[in-house]
C-alpha cells in the first residue's frame, strides 16, 4: 500500500483550478507529464532496424500493435515503411526475439516530440523464386535472403535464431 500517493485526489479528479496534465498537449507530451507526475519512468521504448526486409513477422506478434507496415504504391512494386509507435510500445521485445533476420534491436530512448518513428523505408522487390515481397539490400538482388541462403547451400538447413 502507498502511504503517501504521488498526487492528491483533488488533482486527480480535477477539483483544483490548474490541471496536473495539460489536456491540450499532444498524446506523447500528456503521457510524459502523467508518468512524471505518478513517478513512473518517463522514457519511451525504442527500436532500431538494421537489415530489415519488411517480412512483417514483428508486426504480427506485437501484443500492443505498436509496429505496422505502410505500403505506398500498388502491385508488387512500391515503397514500404515499418513504423514504431513508441507511446503504445510496452517494451516486451517480442518483436526483437522473433525477427528471423535479427534486424530489430531494442534501444533506450529519451523523451522527445516524435512518438511514431519510421524504422526502415525501402522499395519492395519480388523474389524471382518464391515470389515473396522484400526490401532488397542492393538493386541487383532478385532473390530474398532465404532463397539466397538456399542457393548457396542447397542441402543445408537454416532455422531462424
Amino acid at each position: 500500500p502507498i502511504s503517501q500517493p504521488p498526487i492528491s485526489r483533488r488533482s486527480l479528479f480535477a477539483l483544483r483550478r490548474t490541471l496536473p496534465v495539460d489536456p491540450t498537449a499532444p498524446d506523447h507530451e500528456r503521457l510524459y507529464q502523467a508518468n512524471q507526475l505518478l513517478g513512473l519512468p518517463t522514457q519511451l521504448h525504442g527500436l532500431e532496424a538494421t537489415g530489415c526486409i519488411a517480412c512483417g513477422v514483428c508486426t504480427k506478434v506485437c501484443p500492443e500493435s505498436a509496429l505496422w507496415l505502410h505500403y505506398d504504391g500498388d502491385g508488387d512494386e512500391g515503397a514500404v515503411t515499418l513504423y514504431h509507435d513508441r507511446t503504445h510500445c510496452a517494451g516486451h521485445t517480442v518483436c526483437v526475439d522473433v525477427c528471423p533476420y535479427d534486424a530489430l534491436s531494442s534501444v533506450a530512448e529519451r523523451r522527445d516530440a516524435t512518438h511514431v518513428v519510421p524504422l526502415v523505408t525501402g522499395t519492395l522487390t519480388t523474389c524471382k523464386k518464391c515470389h515473396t515481397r522484400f526490401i532488397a539490400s542492393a538493386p541487383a538482388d532478385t532473390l530474398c535472403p532465404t532463397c539466397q541462403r538456399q542457393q548457396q547451400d542447397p542441402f543445408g538447413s537454416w532455422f531462424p535464431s
Side-chain angles (χ1 to χ4, degrees):
I2 298 175
S3 59
Q4 181 65 23
I7 182 172
S8 71
R9 283 184 287 187
R10 286 186 180 272
S11 296
L12 186 63
F13 295 113
L15 297 175
R16 63 180 217 195
R17 293 183 190 269
T18 59
L19 294 174
V21 176
D22 181 12
T24 61
D27 290 344
H28 66 275
E29 187 62 33
R30 285 197 325 257
L31 177 66
Y32 174 78
Q33 291 172 359
N35 284 348
Q36 192 175 31
L37 191 65
L38 295 170
L40 298 173
T42 55
Q43 258 179 277
L44 295 175
H45 299 284
L47 291 175
E48 202 172 73
T50 308
C52 176
I53 65 161
C55 65
V57 172
C58 58
T59 63
K60 291 179 176 85
V61 298
C62 179
E64 308 299 328
S65 298
L67 290 166
W68 68 93
L69 289 169
H70 175 73
Y71 297 95
D72 288 329
D74 45 65
D76 290 337
E77 307 297 320
V80 64
T81 304
L82 175 65
Y83 285 102
H84 178 225
D85 188 342
R86 299 182 310 154
T87 56
H88 287 113
C89 182
H92 297 294
T93 67
V94 176
C95 55
V96 175
D97 298 336
V98 301
C99 181
Y101 301 102
D102 292 327
L104 287 177
S105 59
S106 181
V107 293
E109 291 195 22
R110 300 225 178 266
R111 168 189 160 265
D112 63 5
T114 310
H115 64 280
V116 174
V117 180
L119 295 179
V120 67
T121 300
T123 304
L124 285 175
T125 306
T126 303
C127 177
K128 300 296 181 196
K129 186 174 182 183
C130 69
H131 305 290
T132 300
R133 298 185 326 170
F134 69 102
I135 296 176
S137 56
D141 286 347
T142 58
L143 296 176
C144 68
T146 304
C147 290
Q148 284 177 0
R149 202 172 286 112
Q150 276 184 332
Q151 189 175 26
Q152 291 169 357
D153 185 13
F155 300 107
S157 60
W158 172 75
F159 297 102
S161 54

